[in-house]
Amino acid sequence: MSFKEKIDKNKLPEHIAIIMDGNGRWAKSRNKNRMLGHQEGVRRVREITETCAELGIKYLTVYAFSTENWDRPKFEVNALMQLLVVTIGKEIKTLMNNNIRLETIGDTNALPRNCVKELQKAADRTKDNDRMTLILALSYSSRWEIVDAAKRIAEKVRNSESDINEINEEFFSYNMCTAKYPDPELLIRTSGEYRISNFLLWQIAYAELYFTDKYWPDFKSEDLYEAIVDYQSRERRFGKTGEQIKETAG
Ligand code: FPP
């Protein structure tokens, strides 16, 4: 039985988040330029996006460029931005054909103008699509997002739009750039690293974490199915006892 056949369609995660890691090492292991790894990585973004949509996943967030990635050599940063612009332009058609909405989270104002324009165009064109939402985390880091939310809240309190007693977890979430998405139930990281690297720290409080040794360019649909089957084998307790969970399920 393939992993795909083992998936229980009634227990799918609504939101999957992915830390796509290992493009550089994938290229290096083949004596190729790092950019070739990123190009192959884009192919996997396409494949995994389509696969998620076909399965019925509603939200897919991919960590495409972190705040820390700005510290990479300038030529790699420029090449990644260029790759992003070209890819977005080329993929609008696929997104439309698959009824997928494209959105971004992160400090997108820090991106080059042509990138912002291309992303805006894609977001506008795909805004009415409702099969799945693909969220690109760009110039994103969780600490940036949390500080940003704290600033917004402070501003509201200063302008007397909100009262300090209103601040609770829900209110805080509402002021984050991920406000309109449910928290991911499954977080996948490729390339054998066991870190979260400043990604959705607030939102993954109860997520199941799945790590694989495969480099991102090698992560195919079958690997996604395997991750989902693994996720479905886990008991999600949210701090309760196993018995309590079984009682509510029964
Ligand atoms: C991690 O590999 C990957 C990135 C920093 C960027 C990922 C970007 C893409 C796949 C392209 C994004 C484009 C779209 C359209 C979403 P790494 O370079 O950190 O690999 P390494 O750790 O082996 O060096």
Side-chain angles (χ1 to χ4, degrees):
M1 206 174 175
S2 70
F3 285 113
K4 188 179 184 182
E5 288 163 328
K6 284 191 192 158
I7 292 178
D8 178 350
K9 288 277 193 161
N10 298 314
K11 275 173 59 186
L12 284 173
E14 193 181 7
H15 185 172
I16 298 181
I18 307 184
I19 302 175
M20 313 178 287
D21 196 12
N23 294 351
R25 278 163 287 162
W26 180 91
K28 198 172 172 200
S29 68
R30 285 164 173 74
N31 274 322
K32 304 262 199 236
N33 183 287
R34 291 176 60 82
M35 279 319 292
L36 233 101
H38 294 313
Q39 280 164 14
E40 194 60 27
V42 169
R43 293 195 185 100
R44 292 295 89 69
V45 174
R46 188 177 214 263
E47 175 177 340
I48 296 299
T49 301
E50 286 189 326
T51 304
C52 281
E54 276 160 23
L55 276 172
I57 306 294
K58 297 309 285 181
Y59 301 90
L60 171 66
T61 302
V62 293
Y63 208 0
F65 194 86
S66 71
T67 309
E68 291 77 16
N69 286 154
W70 289 115
D71 295 330
R72 291 195 172 195
K74 208 168 163 36
F75 65 85
E76 184 169 338
V77 171
N78 291 342
L80 273 169
M81 292 300 146
Q82 186 55 26
L83 181 63
L84 184 69
V85 172
V86 172
T87 307
I88 301 298
K90 275 208 304 216
E91 296 300 333
I92 292 187
K93 224 168 95 190
T94 325
L95 293 168
M96 293 307 291
N97 289 342
N98 284 282
N99 193 11
I100 297 169
R101 185 188 298 139
L102 182 85
E103 298 191 344
T104 54
I105 52 169
D107 186 12
T108 41
N109 287 328
L111 299 170
R113 284 291 352 130
N114 62 337
C115 232
V116 178
K117 263 175 76 178
E118 205 61 50
L119 287 164
Q120 193 54 53
K121 194 170 89 188
D124 286 345
R125 287 275 305 280
T126 61
K127 70 178 188 332
D128 294 324
N129 294 348
D130 59 4
R131 183 152 78 131
M132 188 181 86
T133 304
L134 170 65
I135 303 143
L136 299 183
L138 287 165
S139 191
Y140 174 88
S141 79
S142 223
R143 289 184 178 180
W144 166 82
E145 184 189 25
I146 291 168
V147 170
D148 187 60
K151 283 188 196 161
R152 280 188 219 190
I153 293 169
E155 190 73 27
K156 286 180 185 171
V157 172
R158 186 170 63 182
N159 298 340
S160 306
E161 283 168 52
S162 303
D163 185 88
I164 205 156
N165 295 314
E166 250 185 277
I167 304 172
N168 55 20
E169 286 183 22
E170 197 187 340
F171 185 80
F172 205 92
S173 297
Y174 177 74
N175 281 282
M176 296 176 87
C177 58
T178 50
K180 56 184 172 167
Y181 314 123
D183 288 344
E185 298 99 323
L186 172 61
L187 171 76
I188 299 172
R189 181 173 189 147
T190 58
S191 92
E193 307 286 356
Y194 297 84
R195 285 191 295 278
I196 305 300
S197 301
N198 217 346
F199 188 45
L200 303 175
L201 297 177
W202 173 277
Q203 298 84 346
I204 59 163
Y206 292 103
E208 296 297 329
L209 310 183
Y210 181 85
F211 299 97
T212 168
D213 285 342
K214 289 217 171 156
Y215 294 142
W216 175 249
D218 287 327
F219 192 84
K220 306 257 173 80
S221 298
E222 191 59 16
D223 300 296
L224 178 76
Y225 299 142
E226 183 173 359
I228 294 175
V229 169
D230 186 88
Y231 159 83
Q232 292 185 332
S233 74
R234 303 189 196 181
E235 185 181 62
R236 307 191 70 219
R237 290 200 296 273
F238 305 97
K240 296 184 178 159
T241 67
E243 285 69 29
Q244 283 176 301
I245 298 297
K246 281 188 191 94
E247 272 167 33
T248 4

